[in-house]
Amino acid sequence: MSKEITVTIDGIECKAAEGEYILNIARANNIFIPAICYLTRCSPTLACRLCLVEADGKRVYSCNVKAKDGMEITTNNDEIAQERRAIMEVYDVNHPLQCGVCDKSGECELQNYTLYEQVDSQSYSIRDTLRQSKNWSSVLHYDPGLCIVCERCTTVCKDMIGEAAIKTTKRGGDALPKELKEEMPKDAYAMWNKLQKSIIAPLNGENTDCADCGECISVCPTGAIVSRDFQYKSNAWELEKVPATCSHCSTGCQINYERKHTSIENPDESIYRVTNEFHYVSLCGAGRFGYDFENRDVSKDEEAFDKAVQALQKAETIRFDSYITNEEALILQRIKEKTGARLVNPDAKRYQDFMKNYGSVSGKTLYAGDLKSAFESDFVISVGSFLRNDAPNSRYAFNNIQKLNKGAGLYFHPLKDELVESYGKNVIQFAHKPGLEAAALYLVLELFGKELPADIKAYLDGFKYETTETVTETVKEEIVENVEEIEKDEETGEEKTVIKEKKKLVPKKVEKEVTVTRNRLVEMLGGPDDFDEKLAKMLKKKENFTLFVGEDCIASENAAELAKLAAAVERYCDFNVVVIPSQTNTLGVSLLCELDEEASGYSVGYNVKGDFTLSATGEGDLDMPALNQQEGTFTNINKRVVPTNAGIGYGGYELNDLANALGVGEEQTVCFTEQLPVEKGFKALEFDALPNEYTNSMEENRGYLLALGECEAAELEKIELAQQGMEGNIAYRANPLQQFNQFTRRAHELEAQKALYCSVTYAEKNGLKDGDSVTCTVANEAFTLAVQTDNKIDGDIVYVPDFDETLDADRIFGGKRYSNISIVKG
Amino acid sequence: MSLEQFKDRNVGTQEYRHIQASTSPKTPMEKFTQVVKRTFSKELFVGLKVVFTQMAKGPKTWHTVKYPQEKLPIGPRYRAIHKLLKLLESGNERCIGCGLCEKICIADCIRMDTRYDENQRKEVTEYSINLGRCIFCGYCAEVCPELAIVHGPRFENASEQRAHFVIKDDMLTPVDALKHQKEFPGFGALSDDADKKVKKTPLAY
Ligand code: SF4
Ligand code: SF4
Ligand code: SF4
Ligand code: SF4
Ligand code: SF4
Ligand code: FES
């Protein structure tokens, strides 16, 4: 823990952690300092210079200067006020007067600060440069005329998202008049000088070719980057914000559904867009653009309801997935207790089993880490997760710590991710064969384990061997050279050539035999030859370690062993381990429901096909509300029970109505919130008592944290490693970016389709083009897919999505993530 | 201004004065006497006198406006049913869809649909005012930066429905009537000294 310091800002004493920026301290203490360009959780860019303050008599930028104990800070004085006023005047030079149609109007920081500084006249001018607006991608629209080059977009894309898809480039504007340098306030001039030269553009070419997360839209203080779908649809102030939680993955990001009547003709509410508090949480494209998956125009169909009640009464099995709330999971559990039906949810069952095995070594019922600790760490390892697609926010953490905490990382995954190595220079990617996740975890134990059981230590040492290698070293060698020089005789003025001897150091390559220790684990995993040397460098000054364990491990046939190994990392190494729950509420369901292995007899499916299907997609026998139409809670990756609200109305029956018909219901679904079992770590809190916000001091004030339970644990027992990974043509069960489930598929802005996804090299090698139809066979099951290349992966493994219920990938893959596949064109 | 005095609903503790209402008749007899008194008092005959005098003078001197066949001219500042104006030069719609009228409307009766059109501009596809709620305060016309929404002289808005809507088609100046569209110093128009109030912005070219 860093030590606590005290600073005085405008006479108010503020306590803060050492190393915190002045601006953040001020914000945490509700002291306002004007600032545009700084984004918390990203590096300061010093583009706007509005955040000037006086600290101990010196002018400093508060977003960039770390507070020292006892500092005296004043946020304003005459000089600073002049600077700020001039800065805002400069921002308004040549800014189009189009607030009337601009999407940002009403929530525009340029508007706000222009008003704040009371800019009612202009002192500066310069010739405008032709800047044309462009569409950067299927979701992004950029209007450089409105851009104030605060660089928030490029910063968030690089420091948080990890795509670095946009950059600051040359504008080609006129140079500023020289005399201004003297006449203008200094910082305003410097800001303008840079502004006049720069503009934002995609990294290469005309398109961003990025993850389309839309975070740049969110952070843009002006209307320069806007969503193409939302553009000109509604003014910001007409939309009602409903604080909620994204229901697409286990991160459970806080979002606002923004809603309004559909049109003058149709007074029914529609969700127009999703926004986020970008200083505290960053969304992915699914959360931002996948909002309209509601079950529309449903009314109470009594006949179907009666049939559903009968079906539930006679059902031997209830099948469901983990895209449900905690309350619904509890209702299902209550129904099971009443009717004796089996609860079958393979996803949550795998997770439940995994955590049971995990606890048998770690001694706790849950993993110890969370995303917050991941963002604070400086060394991160990911095993068994296709991070970019599976868990966007875990990937943001992986990337963010490279940029902000001078971090390092190891990325173990069979699908080579083209971006991982660009996160930072201290990232090593192991594109190992599928099935070697255990080797990766063993390697982590070997590298970081303290007080390992003796047999494990011996086993791990067995992988090490010594070898002599010839290395080429560069040594500096001294050589003597004869150089001709022309010398002038001082007296005669005559020039003559003399030969002089000169000593010189030249680099020379020498070959040397050295004895080095190598680790067969590294070789098995396809690591670099000089791994040890690289790692030594990476480990310098590292204090906080994080391990992400992904769905590959949970779905593996060796899940039990992998769980124990992952738990061993928590037990023997100083690591925050996070076992990423595979679906939104996998963690909640696995805690709340007694799950059964096998289905039998007549079944009712909830959002899954059954003999009688309850469905929130509108395609079942009885309609249910989708997750954007429900109140309730999720248990997310941070082991936090977070509330969500209904973004949009729903007119049909809910699961609670069915439960009422069976005699186990409550007045409302959210009445179950306070009944969530305390012995599992939940709290007996009412739904309405759960907050859902971030505070100015960056604290996550959402719901509550699960209490961690203890369980019996034993030392890790030796597990023999499978030395061979999977061979042959391999398919991986994974979704394209932004798609997670049948609900994201229904969102109109998310366009990725069911296809056979492969790397560009794979497509070239096999003579395939985008759109080609191929017949795939996995475990004797044949299906036809179109080919789609993904230029962000490399290697020969293809991936097949499971978000589209018309392709039952979970069944085809038998619950695993890897399978051999044969692909025939045509 | 503090609202405290309005929030204090404790009648009696404030400076209220009770006004004594005239006593009303109680017995049936008293009631009957009152009716007879009122019926045959002078006022009735004063009125009848005026009517008969006018009748005798003949229609030439009558001032009656034969509404609804006849309507009085109305001043430009009259605040009746809204009109959406067009640009005189091009015939394009003036409304840019800024939504300020929608926002400022205190009866919350303005709604509009906008979209990104083929020319990359904001297009107002539909615009409506619910006259059942509109209180004709004129805020919309005053706030409009484009002088697009104005109040017109049309004051008849009797309707068989409680909510009576006017939509864009009803309010927008039709193409053939563009030449009759009047600019006037009416409600929401720029003040005469507007030019003087504007501060000049320097230009580099
Ligand atoms: S970016 Fe802001 S100031 Fe510029 S036109 Fe849009 S709303 Fe107005
Ligand atoms: S596009 Fe927006 S976020 Fe990016 S530099 Fe311009 S104003 Fe800033
Ligand atoms: S959409 Fe996301 S990934 Fe693409 S440029 Fe914007 S911030 Fe970067
Ligand atoms: S899908 Fe996951 S990462 Fe993306 S916004 Fe939703 S919760 Fe966050
Ligand atoms: S204020 Fe004027 S320009 Fe703006 S939306 Fe209303 S009518 Fe149109
Ligand atoms: S916020 Fe500090 S320079 Fe912009």
Side-chain angles (χ1 to χ4, degrees):
Chain A
M1 276 313 298
S2 47
K3 99 175 192 260
E4 199 185 62
I5 56 168
T6 312
V7 295
T8 321
I9 307 179
D10 286 347
I12 302 166
E13 263 196 23
C14 308
K15 299 232 180 301
E18 193 171 32
E20 188 60 279
Y21 293 126
I22 297 173
L23 181 61
N24 285 337
I25 300 176
R27 284 181 175 173
N29 289 282
N30 292 323
I31 299 166
F32 176 66
I33 301 177
I36 293 185
C37 69
Y38 178 68
L39 282 174
T40 47
R41 312 185 300 156
C42 292
S43 31
T45 56
L46 295 189
C48 79
R49 295 163 187 250
L50 273 179
C51 68
L52 273 176
V53 294
E54 200 181 273
D56 290 340
K58 272 206 307 264
R59 250 166 69 158
V60 298
Y61 306 111
S62 60
C63 69
N64 180 44
V65 169
K66 296 182 172 162
K68 291 199 198 73
D69 201 13
M71 233 181 200
E72 292 272 342
I73 297 151
T74 26
T75 60
N76 209 346
N77 61 27
D78 286 352
E79 226 177 78
I80 292 177
Q82 273 174 19
E83 288 279 8
R84 287 192 184 138
R85 156 95 196 194
I87 289 171
M88 286 324 298
E89 275 186 33
V90 166
Y91 274 141
D92 292 337
V93 171
N94 293 338
H95 191 84
L97 271 177
Q98 63 178 56
C99 299
V101 296
C102 185
D103 276 341
K104 204 71 182 182
S105 183
E107 52 179 23
C108 172
E109 290 179 43
L110 185 61
Q111 271 182 341
N112 291 353
Y113 282 114
T114 302
L115 281 176
Y116 178 79
E117 289 298 330
Q118 298 175 10
V119 178
D120 55 357
S121 63
Q122 180 61 271
S123 337
Y124 310 106
S125 68
I126 193 151
R127 204 166 61 97
D128 206 352
T129 326
L130 179 67
R131 292 167 278 166
Q132 261 150 355
S133 47
K134 294 183 185 89
N135 289 330
W136 275 350
S137 78
S138 61
V139 296
L140 304 175
H141 177 90
Y142 177 62
D143 185 345
L146 300 174
C147 174
I148 58 170
V149 198
C150 65
E151 296 184 328
R152 280 203 330 211
C153 51
T154 54
T155 313
V156 81
C157 191
K158 181 158 171 252
D159 288 2
M160 180 54 62
I161 311 302
E163 300 270 317
I166 41 181
K167 61 169 186 215
T168 311
T169 163
K170 287 208 183 74
R171 174 193 300 224
D174 286 2
L176 296 187
K178 290 246 161 40
E179 61 281 6
L180 278 182
K181 190 162 190 175
E182 312 306 317
E183 289 163 15
M184 264 181 91
K186 190 163 106 269
D187 277 295
Y189 177 84
M191 186 285 287
W192 195 8
N193 199 17
K194 185 166 163 239
L195 173 70
Q196 190 55 23
K197 288 178 186 152
S198 353
I199 207 74
I200 309 296
L203 190 66
N204 300 308
E206 294 288 300
N207 298 316
T208 45
D209 184 24
C210 64
D212 276 343
C213 67
E215 199 57 24
C216 48
I217 299 173
S218 181
V219 299
C220 183
T222 69
I225 308 183
V226 294
S227 148
R228 285 178 64 183
D229 182 79
F230 179 70
Q231 193 171 19
Y232 296 166
K233 273 212 183 130
S234 174
N235 284 311
W237 57 77
E238 293 298 332
L239 299 168
E240 185 192 2
K241 281 186 171 83
V242 183
T245 296
C246 172
S247 65
H248 296 320
C249 91
S250 58
T251 311
C253 299
Q254 196 225 23
I255 57 170
N256 290 309
Y257 289 120
E258 302 212 350
R259 68 177 180 198
K260 189 175 95 163
H261 55 86
T262 310
S263 68
I264 288 175
E265 302 236 306
N266 180 359
D268 291 345
E269 306 252 282
S270 281
I271 300 175
Y272 278 69
R273 63 171 176 179
V274 159
T275 51
N276 60 317
E277 297 247 26
F278 53 80
H279 278 299
Y280 314 116
V281 60
S282 302
L283 305 187
C284 76
R288 187 177 315 282
F289 301 115
Y291 49 81
D292 54 342
F293 54 90
E294 66 274 358
N295 200 1
R296 263 198 182 265
D297 303 327
V298 177
S299 55
K300 297 203 167 170
D301 179 349
E302 282 175 33
E303 205 182 312
F305 182 75
D306 291 339
K307 280 194 197 143
V309 176
Q310 283 162 18
L312 274 174
Q313 270 160 347
K314 74 169 181 198
E316 271 184 54
T317 304
I318 301 175
R319 296 169 185 275
F320 62 111
D321 59 14
S322 308
Y323 295 110
I324 60 173
T325 61
N326 289 324
E327 288 71 17
E328 288 180 297
L330 188 59
I331 293 176
L332 290 174
Q333 173 64 20
R334 294 275 163 87
I335 294 179
K336 171 184 176 139
E337 285 159 16
K338 173 91 179 182
T339 69
R342 292 156 173 259
L343 291 184
V344 175
N345 176 340
D347 163 72
K349 179 77 179 133
R350 289 193 289 265
Y351 196 80
Q352 208 172 44
D353 293 344
F354 193 87
M355 287 320 293
K356 209 152 125 224
N357 283 310
Y358 190 93
S360 74
V361 173
S362 75
K364 298 203 191 68
T365 49
L366 289 169
Y367 49 87
D370 56 20
L371 275 185
K372 184 165 187 274
S373 60
F375 272 107
E376 281 162 7
S377 62
D378 45 25
F379 197 103
V380 56
I381 299 177
S382 166
V383 178
S385 180
F386 186 23
L387 222 45
R388 185 170 184 256
N389 297 32
D390 279 1
N393 253 282
S394 307
R395 177 247 191 158
Y396 297 167
F398 195 117
N399 167 61
N400 186 251
I401 68 156
Q402 312 300 333
K403 312 279 165 54
L404 253 72
N405 305 355
K406 296 200 187 78
L410 304 178
Y411 180 82
F412 295 91
H413 198 265
L415 260 73
K416 189 158 188 290
D417 186 328
E418 293 282 14
L419 286 170
V420 162
E421 272 154 26
S422 71
Y423 294 165
K425 49 185 187 305
N426 286 329
V427 178
I428 301 182
Q429 171 159 222
F430 292 77
H432 60 81
K433 292 217 174 80
L436 293 180
E437 289 79 16
L441 290 172
Y442 260 135
L443 182 63
V444 178
L445 277 178
E446 204 274 316
L447 297 173
F448 299 94
K450 286 170 215 146
E451 296 165 32
L452 287 175
D455 57 335
I456 304 277
K457 187 140 192 14
Y459 182 60
L460 288 175
D461 286 341
F463 287 105
K464 288 192 200 160
Y465 64 94
E466 291 203 336
T467 174
T468 47
E469 275 181 12
T470 14
V471 289
T472 24
E473 260 185 14
T474 324
V475 288
K476 292 257 158 82
E477 200 183 44
E478 196 181 84
I479 54 162
V480 181
E481 265 183 1
N482 293 335
V483 201
E484 282 186 11
E485 261 181 34
I486 299 169
E487 239 174 43
K488 209 172 180 184
D489 199 303
E490 297 283 307
E491 285 160 31
T492 58
E494 203 177 293
E495 284 186 2
K496 61 181 177 198
T497 318
V498 287
I499 293 184
K500 278 196 175 169
E501 274 190 2
K502 275 217 164 158
K503 281 185 192 158
K504 206 169 149 192
L505 282 178
V506 288
K508 193 182 156 197
K509 295 214 162 116
V510 285
E511 298 209 330
K512 214 164 73 173
E513 296 261 302
V514 286
T515 326
V516 285
T517 321
R518 292 280 178 238
N519 193 331
R520 269 198 297 125
L521 286 173
V522 177
E523 283 156 25
M524 262 165 80
L525 292 162
D529 289 341
D530 54 350
F531 177 70
D532 286 356
E533 292 82 342
K534 278 195 173 151
L535 187 76
K537 244 187 254 157
M538 285 162 69
L539 280 174
K540 263 185 211 143
K541 289 206 225 145
K542 297 295 182 293
E543 283 164 358
N544 300 309
F545 300 84
T546 294
L547 170 70
F548 287 122
V549 180
E551 197 190 340
D552 296 11
C553 300
I554 303 165
S556 156
E557 38 209 42
N558 307 322
E561 286 87 29
L562 289 167
K564 288 177 186 162
L565 285 172
V569 175
E570 185 175 306
R571 180 172 175 147
Y572 302 112
C573 316
D574 219 355
F575 265 70
N576 293 306
V577 179
V578 182
V579 184
I580 305 172
S582 34
Q583 298 181 356
T584 304
N585 204 13
T586 304
L587 180 53
V589 174
S590 73
L591 290 171
L592 291 166
C593 298
E594 286 162 28
L595 298 168
D596 297 272
E597 199 81 50
E598 296 286 328
S600 72
Y602 184 81
S603 69
V604 170
Y606 183 20
N607 288 332
V608 177
K609 189 107 197 72
D611 294 323
F612 188 94
T613 310
L614 312 169
S615 168
T617 60
E619 281 164 28
D621 302 312
L622 177 71
D623 284 307
M624 288 279 122
L627 284 173
N628 59 358
Q629 297 171 301
Q630 288 199 50
E631 289 181 321
T633 58
F634 299 120
T635 312
N636 74 1
I637 190 172
N638 296 333
K639 299 166 291 180
R640 197 177 266 283
V641 179
V642 288
T644 186
N645 285 309
I648 190 167
Y650 170 73
Y653 290 105
E654 303 175 42
L655 197 58
N656 183 42
D657 296 321
L658 289 168
N660 268 318
L662 295 172
V664 291
E666 284 285 348
E667 197 184 328
Q668 284 177 10
T669 308
V670 288
C671 296
F672 283 98
T673 312
E674 51 189 316
Q675 298 179 21
L676 294 172
V678 177
E679 66 278 10
K680 293 280 167 66
F682 292 92
K683 288 187 182 157
L685 285 177
E686 260 181 68
F687 178 76
D688 290 335
L690 302 179
N692 192 12
E693 56 168 22
Y694 286 86
T695 65
N696 281 349
S697 49
M698 290 185 255
E699 217 176 299
E700 186 177 6
N701 189 17
R702 302 177 63 204
Y704 59 85
L705 283 173
L706 281 182
L708 230 55
E710 309 251 315
C711 58
E712 256 177 54
E715 296 275 342
L716 178 69
E717 279 165 31
K718 195 178 101 185
I719 298 158
E720 279 297 331
L721 260 188
Q723 306 269 340
Q724 296 292 308
M726 239 172 128
E727 298 286 349
N729 271 335
I730 299 169
Y732 181 53
R733 177 171 55 78
N735 288 317
L737 262 186
Q738 307 188 337
Q739 293 288 12
F740 285 94
N741 49 43
Q742 45 183 335
F743 301 108
T744 52
R745 175 179 165 233
R746 281 170 171 76
H748 84 279
E749 282 194 72
L750 303 183
E751 288 168 352
Q753 296 289 328
K754 137 183 116 169
L756 182 80
Y757 287 86
C758 65
S759 67
V760 179
T761 44
Y762 180 90
E764 274 167 12
K765 232 188 322 187
N766 293 286
L768 297 170
K769 284 192 314 295
D770 278 3
D772 281 357
S773 171
V774 286
T775 309
C776 313
T777 318
V778 174
N780 295 328
E781 178 122 13
F783 48 92
T784 317
L785 286 175
V787 171
Q788 177 69 52
T789 50
D790 177 346
N791 63 358
K792 296 294 192 299
I793 61 163
D794 199 9
D796 287 338
I797 301 181
V798 297
Y799 64 92
V800 178
D802 65 4
F803 72 94
D804 190 333
E805 69 276 16
T806 57
L807 177 73
D808 194 348
D810 218 19
R811 188 172 49 86
I812 294 168
F813 281 77
K816 306 275 172 296
R817 286 202 86 172
Y818 295 95
S819 219
N820 282 103
I821 186 171
S822 84
I823 299 167
V824 186
K825 200 169 159 181
Chain B
M1 191 185 77
S2 140
L3 294 175
E4 259 152 46
Q5 49 170 323
F6 297 106
K7 286 183 180 160
D8 184 4
R9 297 185 181 82
N10 233 345
V11 182
T13 61
Q14 301 128 317
E15 281 183 65
Y16 283 102
R17 264 184 301 147
H18 289 276
I19 295 171
Q20 208 59 45
S22 60
T23 47
S24 43
K26 290 201 180 67
T27 62
M29 193 55 206
E30 276 171 6
K31 279 183 192 161
F32 178 73
T33 347
Q34 193 184 48
V35 171
V36 172
K37 241 192 203 163
R38 284 189 180 170
T39 316
F40 296 105
S41 70
K42 287 206 300 278
E43 280 89 348
L44 178 66
F45 300 102
V46 174
L48 282 176
K49 187 185 152 202
V50 174
V51 174
F52 285 119
T53 331
Q54 286 301 326
M55 257 174 79
K57 281 188 183 165
K60 292 236 167 68
T61 61
W62 294 352
H63 294 290
T64 317
V65 177
K66 286 190 194 125
Y67 181 82
Q69 289 92 342
E70 242 178 28
K71 283 167 198 160
L72 285 175
I74 268 174
R77 297 187 77 98
Y78 195 74
R79 296 208 298 262
I81 295 177
H82 310 69
K83 297 208 295 184
L84 274 171
L85 302 186
K86 284 189 169 169
L87 289 169
L88 292 177
E89 305 83 3
S90 61
N92 286 342
E93 289 168 28
R94 281 193 183 174
C95 173
I96 55 169
C98 71
L100 291 181
C101 49
E102 191 182 12
K103 173 72 188 165
I104 205 167
C105 177
I106 52 175
D108 202 9
C109 63
I110 302 184
R111 277 190 176 180
M112 52 203 297
D113 293 345
T114 53
R115 69 172 197 121
Y116 185 81
D117 77 1
E118 290 67 35
N119 306 319
Q120 306 177 9
R121 299 174 72 102
K122 192 173 192 171
E123 187 198 355
V124 181
T125 49
E126 190 48 279
Y127 185 105
S128 85
I129 299 182
N130 177 354
L131 294 184
R133 293 177 75 165
C134 176
I135 59 161
F136 297 92
C137 61
Y139 276 8
C140 50
E142 179 149 0
V143 80
C144 179
E146 303 292 322
L147 298 186
I149 189 100
V150 295
H151 282 285
R154 205 188 115 203
F155 52 81
E156 294 127 317
N157 43 4
S159 161
E160 63 273 15
Q161 280 180 348
R162 210 180 135 87
H164 168 194
F165 292 92
V166 278
I167 54 171
K168 202 171 145 195
D169 279 348
D170 307 328
M171 289 185 277
L172 196 61
T173 316
V175 187
D176 49 346
L178 192 60
K179 54 179 183 294
H180 304 303
Q181 182 179 299
K182 285 207 193 79
E183 298 295 309
F184 51 83
F187 211 80
L190 291 182
S191 61
D192 290 339
D193 59 348
D195 270 352
K196 272 191 228 124
K197 289 181 187 158
V198 171
K199 288 189 188 164
K200 293 216 169 64
T201 301
L203 260 186
Y205 44 94

